[in-house]
Structures are given as structure tokens and as C-alpha cells.
């Protein structure tokens, strides 16, 4: 099927409904809110007993029984109060990727997350799954910590149904330990089956292709893209009625029937690559047919990680041991076990345990020094090569940079600090920031040559290229959040 990308101009005004302060890609926001182990579950359509609170950053989503079945996927997942999908920093997202083991075909389905006490803005599309389908389910969040629970309020460590679906929210078996924004169900079985189908020649992975400069297109594991917290969150979008707080799947039919709805989305590394950077540099993301939006191809975290696992050349940006998502929640210390639990959820090999390695082209050790060195060696030349393209694009996060170029440069510098990287012998990127810490201009020096035209014109938040659920050019009513990744540990790098 021919791939069709459309362009959405995403307005700043449409983001104004959020009560939360801006969040940023790769930032870990300090939270004094304790991480609860349980939350009262509210059924579909039932009135919540807890008041909404727009300042909350830690939320719960209630999953139905058998969440990996067709019925479970089609049943709305419930965002529990005090959180609401109408608040940017509390918006939660789900994404399933499905393998047909007989043919190797892959498809994508977007289960709906909706507020407790509401009904869907439009009825969910019920997926027709192939026989013996293998389903993986991933979650993303725009706040601090998102935890999964069942209808009885039991979490992934205590719920029989969630444990049966192999749902993982943090280090398995450790009460209160969380990754933060991300979690998944059935990921290991899905990737094992898909990798087997690839080896058997059933599932065919498209080539990366080359960008407009003649270089291999980046993957989610390219150091052109990776930050302190790689391979996280999902490129899912929903429609939201900000008045009634109702949400629906983002489909052609639902957009036509709900002209006043806005688009909300998960600020993710996967979306940054597939929806923003790839179209700008002449690359095409790996996509599969959307089950909930027939006739439209969809990106997905699982697809990105499958392609990267097969085709990413060294150096490879696997999840490092110092990734804040992989530090023990209680102690804040490095944990190989938790890093491995995270890696298994995104189709990556477990670490070799050599945290002291200084050279690691495959990323298997998870060691800090080679990860940092590879960021410094690979990222800045990529930013400089596409500077004239990026500088004229809107920023995904106005509190990080005033256009896409300054955003990428400052995100890179922030990540080095957040990871506590040793100082580089020479740091090629220098940014000037405003009073709020957002980069307004950046200079990159490579081999003694400094880039020019570094300031550019500040572009409105959200005027980035993004896919929409139509087959023709359209203007989205919202778009990428001005706060991309609000985190629960560190606020500034």
C-alpha cells in the first residue's frame, strides 16, 4: 500500500486549554506527590467519587479483563480521578501492535483511554484479530508516573489478570517501583513471535532508506535521535471534546462527526522521529495498517523498535543503565535488573553487566561513558547538517527551544546533564537561553568550523509536521504538546 503522510499546522492557541505548566522532552520534573500503590477504580460511565485535580502528575489507568483480546482492546481504558484527559500533563495513551503468526502481517490498533464518569465521544472500532494473533500493548503518558490497575484496583504486581497479560509497570515484583510514563502488556511474547516471523521470512522489514544528505535514515536507536530516556512513549493520538472531557479514537470518521474536537497526543521519542523529523529529512517511518482507522497507515513504538533492532548500524543507542526510567524508584540508583526489564519491553538485548566499559558500539553493556561519547560524536553533526531545515520549523516544546533546531540542541545538552555524563573533551554545541531556560540560539562547531545563521526566527509552538488521520491535507485543532515529556525525578539538567 502506498504510504500517505499529511501535514498538520498545529496552533499555539489550541493548546491553551491545559492547566499544567509546560513540560519538556527528556525532562524529569521533581514531584512531591507520593507514588500510590492503589487507586479506586471507577467503571465506564459511573460517576467518579474523587474530585479532579489539574495539578496531579501521577495517575492510574484501569484496564479491562483480558486486555490483549479483541474485546479487551475495544473496551475503553479508564483514566481515574483526580486525573483527566482534558489536562495536558495527565493525558494517557495506549497503542497495540498485532502480529498474524500465519502470514507475518503486522497491524496497529489504538485502544481508547477516557476519563472516569464519561462515555466515548464515538464508539470504539472493535478489532477483528487474526487467528492466534499475538498482541503487544504499550502505554504512554504526558505526566509524571502512570500506573496500570485492574477493576479491583490491583496493580501489575498483584493483579491476576494483569500478571496474566504480562503487564509491566516497573521492576517486576517490587512494590512501588515504576518506570514512570511507560508500561506495557504482552511485549516480550509479541517481540519473540515477531522476531521469529522475521527470521522465517514471513515478516518483511522495510529498508531504512537514505535522507536528503545521503545518510542512512535514523531509527529510534540512532544517536541522532536518542536522549537521556530513549525508546519511550507512543505516537498515539485521540480526539478530545474539551468541554465534556469525552475522547475517541482519532479516525477519519470521528473527525468528520466531531468538527469541534481537538487532537491530543503523546509527546514521545517515537513521535519525534516518525511524525516530525522523518518527513523533514526525506525519510519514511515503518508503518502498518491501522485497524481502528481503515485505509490509513500508522506508526507505532513496536514498529520503530522492530526496524531498529534489525537495521540500526553501530553505534547503537540502547537504553543505558543511567536512564532515569531505569533507576530504582526508591533509591534512585542504577539497577541492571530494572534496565533489563525495560529493554525487554522494547525489543532490546539485556545488558552484559559491564557498566565500566568505555567503548561499546552495540550498546549491549548499557555503560554510561560510551553512550555519552556517542551522543556527542553523532548528534551535533546531524543537527548541523539539517540546521537550515530545522530552524524554520516550530518547536515541539517552547520551554526547551524556540524552533526545532534549538529544541534538538538544548534537548541534547539537557540529556548529557541528566545522565551525569563526564564532561566532553570538546563540547560542539553551545546554546543561549532566555530567562525561562529555553534556547533561543545555538552554535555548533565541527572540526573548527562554526555553523552560521544560528538564531533564526522563533517559530510558534506546534507548527511541526505531524500525521493526521485523514488522507488529505488538513489543519489540526491542536497537535504536539508544548510540554513534551514531564518527568518525575529531575526538572533541569
Amino acid at each position: 500500500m502506498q504510504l500517505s503522510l499529511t501535514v498538520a499546522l498545529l496552533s499555539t492557541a489550541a493548546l491553551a486549554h491545559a492547566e499544567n505548566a509546560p513540560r519538556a522532552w527528556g525532562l524529569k520534573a521533581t514531584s512531591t506527590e507520593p507514588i500510590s500503590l492503589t487507586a479506586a477504580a471507577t467503571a465506564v460511565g459511573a460517576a467518579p467519587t474523587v474530585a479532579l485535580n489539574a495539578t496531579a502528575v501521577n495517575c492510574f489507568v484501569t484496564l479491562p479483563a483480558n486486555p490483549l483480546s479483541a474485546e479487551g482492546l475495544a473496551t475503553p481504558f479508564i483514566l481515574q480521578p483526580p486525573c483527566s484527559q482534558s489536562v495536558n500533563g495527565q493525558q494517557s495513551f495506549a497503542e497495540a501492535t498485532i502480529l498474524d503468526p500465519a502470514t507475518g502481517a503486522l497491524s496497529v490498533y489504538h485502544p481508547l483511554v477516557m476519563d472516569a464518569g464519561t462515555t466515548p465521544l464515538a464508539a470504539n472500532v472493535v478489532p477483528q484479530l487474526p487467528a492466534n494473533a499475538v498482541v503487544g500493548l504499550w502505554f504512554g503518558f504526558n505526566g509524571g508516573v502512570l500506573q496500570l490497575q485492574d477493576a479491583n484496583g490491583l496493580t501489575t504486581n498483584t493483579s491476576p489478570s494483569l500478571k496474566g497479560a504480562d503487564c509491566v509497570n516497573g521492576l517486576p515484583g517490587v512494590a512501588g517501583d515504576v518506570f514512570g510514563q511507560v508500561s506495557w502488556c504482552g511485549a516480550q511474547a509479541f517481540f519473540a513471535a515477531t522476531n521469529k516471523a522475521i527470521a522465517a521470512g514471513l515478516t518483511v522489514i522495510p529498508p531504512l532508506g537514505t535522507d536528503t544528505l545521503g545518510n542512512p535514515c535514523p531509527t529510534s536507536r540512532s544517536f541522532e535521535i536518542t536522549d537521556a530516556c530513549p525508546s519511550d512513549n507512543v505516537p498515539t493520538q485521540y480526539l478530545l471534546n474539551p468541554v465534556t472531557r469525552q475522547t475517541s479514537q482519532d479516525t477519519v470518521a470521528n473527525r468528520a462527526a466531531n468538527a469541534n474536537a481537538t487532537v491530543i497526543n503523546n509527546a514521545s521519542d517515537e513521535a519525534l522521529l516518525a511524525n516530525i523529523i522523518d518527513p523533514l529529512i526525506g525519510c519514511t517511518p515503518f508503518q502498518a495498517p491501522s485497524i481502528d482507522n481503515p485505509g490509513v497507515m500508522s506508526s507505532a513504538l513496536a514498529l520503530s523498535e522492530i526496524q531498529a533492532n534489525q537495521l540500526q548500524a553501530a553505534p547503537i543507542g540502547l537504553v543505558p543503565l543511567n536512564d532515569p526510567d531505569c533507576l530504582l524508584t526508591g533509591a534512585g540508583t542504577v539497577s541492571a535488573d530494572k534496565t533489563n526489564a525495560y529493554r525487554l519491553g522494547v525489543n532490546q538485548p539485556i545488558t552484559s553487566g559491564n557498566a565500566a566499559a568505555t567503548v561499546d558500539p552495540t550498546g549491549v553493556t548499557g555503560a554510561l561513558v560510551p553512550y555519552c561519547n556517542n551522543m556527542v560524536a553523532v548528534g551535533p553533526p546531524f543537527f548541523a547538517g539539517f540546521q537550515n531545515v530545522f530552524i524554520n520549523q516550530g518547536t515541539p516544546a517552547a520551554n526547551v527551544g524556540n524552533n526545532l533546531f534549538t529544541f534538538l540542541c538544548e534537548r541534547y545538552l539537557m540529556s548529557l546533564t541528566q545522565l551525569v555524563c563526564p564532561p566532553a573533551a570538546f563540547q560542539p554545541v553551545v546554546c543561549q537561553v532566555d530567562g525561562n531556560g529555553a534556547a533561543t540560539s545555538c552554535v555548533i562547531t565541527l572540526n573548527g568550523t562554526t555553523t552560521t545563521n544560528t538564531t533564526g526566527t522563533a517559530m510558534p509552538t506546534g507548527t511541526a509536521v505531524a500525521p493526521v488521520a485523514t488522507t488529505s491535507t488538513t489543519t489540526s485543532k491542536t497537535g504536539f504538546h508544548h510540554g513534551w515529556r514531564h518527568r518525575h525525578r529531575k526538572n533541569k539538567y
Side-chain angles (χ1 to χ4, degrees):
M1 179 181 295
Q2 185 177 1
L3 304 184
S4 175
L5 286 176
T6 56
V7 176
L9 298 179
L10 311 176
S11 69
T12 305
L15 300 172
H17 70 273
E19 289 107 327
N20 286 61
R23 303 167 306 281
W25 301 50
L27 298 185
K28 297 285 180 180
T30 301
S31 171
T32 57
E33 183 179 328
I35 298 176
S36 301
L37 299 182
T38 60
T42 304
V44 176
T49 58
V50 177
L52 298 181
N53 179 2
T55 66
V57 296
N58 300 335
C59 304
F60 283 83
V61 166
T62 299
L63 304 189
N66 303 313
L68 301 181
S69 67
E71 181 180 2
L73 293 173
T75 301
F77 301 167
I78 306 302
L79 180 62
Q80 296 295 337
C83 298
S84 171
Q85 292 288 66
S86 64
V87 178
N88 280 352
Q90 297 171 355
Q91 288 164 350
S92 310
F93 302 84
E95 179 178 272
T97 303
I98 298 99
L99 171 72
D100 182 343
T103 66
L106 294 167
S107 55
V108 179
Y109 181 81
H110 302 96
L112 179 66
V113 179
M114 72 178 197
D115 280 15
T118 68
T119 55
L121 187 60
N124 281 352
V125 174
V126 178
Q128 300 298 314
L129 301 183
N132 303 311
V134 185
V135 180
L137 177 62
W138 290 264
F139 295 85
F141 186 47
N142 288 338
V145 174
L146 181 68
Q147 294 188 73
L148 309 180
Q149 65 178 20
D150 67 12
N152 297 313
L154 300 178
T155 63
T156 54
N157 284 323
T158 56
S159 165
S161 64
L162 296 185
K163 291 173 73 172
D166 193 22
C167 296
V168 178
N169 225 147
L171 182 58
V174 179
D177 191 90
V178 293
F179 293 130
Q181 294 176 321
V182 298
S183 49
W184 43 76
C185 301
Q188 281 188 251
F190 170 83
F191 284 128
T194 301
N195 292 336
K196 180 179 178 181
I198 293 170
L202 291 175
T203 301
V204 178
I205 307 303
L208 294 178
T210 55
D211 62 29
T212 54
L213 298 180
N215 299 311
C217 288
T219 75
S220 57
R221 302 180 191 178
S222 300
F223 280 100
E224 291 93 337
I225 302 298
T226 59
D227 62 359
C229 316
S231 300
D232 69 345
N233 286 296
V234 296
T236 297
Q237 298 183 164
Y238 296 134
L239 297 182
L240 166 72
N241 182 323
V243 177
T244 64
R245 299 185 288 111
Q246 292 174 286
T247 52
S248 75
Q249 293 167 319
D250 182 18
T251 69
V252 173
N254 289 347
R255 285 198 178 197
N258 298 278
N260 293 325
T262 61
V263 179
I264 61 173
N265 44 47
N266 186 204
S268 68
D269 292 338
E270 311 291 349
L272 173 64
L273 175 61
N275 298 348
I276 298 178
I277 291 180
D278 271 350
L280 291 174
I281 65 174
C283 295
T284 301
F286 181 19
Q287 297 183 314
S290 171
I291 296 176
D292 49 293
N293 198 12
V296 173
M297 302 293 284
S298 179
S299 302
L301 177 148
L303 299 180
S304 294
E305 296 302 327
I306 291 167
Q307 187 181 47
N309 189 57
Q310 293 292 315
L311 301 177
Q312 176 61 48
I316 302 174
L318 302 183
V319 172
L321 289 163
N322 288 58
D323 182 336
D325 289 342
C326 298
L327 302 179
L328 291 176
T329 301
T333 54
V334 167
S335 168
D337 288 340
K338 187 172 181 181
T339 303
N340 288 336
Y342 194 108
R343 285 189 172 197
L344 291 173
V346 291
N347 200 29
Q348 295 184 6
I350 63 174
T351 65
S352 67
N354 184 12
T358 57
V359 178
D360 183 14
T362 66
V364 70
T365 69
L368 175 65
V369 170
Y371 189 90
C372 297
N373 289 343
N374 287 329
M375 284 190 67
V376 174
V378 178
F382 176 74
F383 308 151
F386 288 102
Q387 177 176 318
N388 290 336
V389 175
F390 295 157
I391 207 168
N392 291 309
Q393 298 296 319
T395 177
N399 57 328
V400 177
N402 65 346
N403 56 56
L404 182 57
F405 174 70
T406 55
F407 162 79
L408 289 171
C409 290
E410 183 68 7
R411 172 179 175 264
Y412 153 86
L413 292 172
M414 288 176 166
S415 293
L416 295 176
T417 304
Q418 184 175 13
L419 288 168
V420 196
C421 290
F426 174 74
Q427 176 51 256
V429 179
V430 177
C431 292
Q432 299 295 320
V433 298
D434 62 18
N436 297 316
T440 56
S441 67
C442 296
V443 174
I444 300 177
T445 302
L446 303 173
N447 300 320
T449 301
T450 301
T451 59
T452 58
N453 188 31
T454 53
T455 302
T457 302
M459 299 294 290
T461 300
T463 56
V465 176
V468 294
T470 67
T471 55
S472 61
T473 300
T474 190
T475 300
S476 167
K477 292 187 178 291
T478 70
F480 288 91
H481 292 295
H482 59 304
W484 207 255
R485 294 168 54 190
H486 178 75
R487 295 296 195 164
H488 63 281
R489 289 197 180 90
K490 294 182 181 179
N491 186 30
K492 268 308 210 184
Y493 300 65

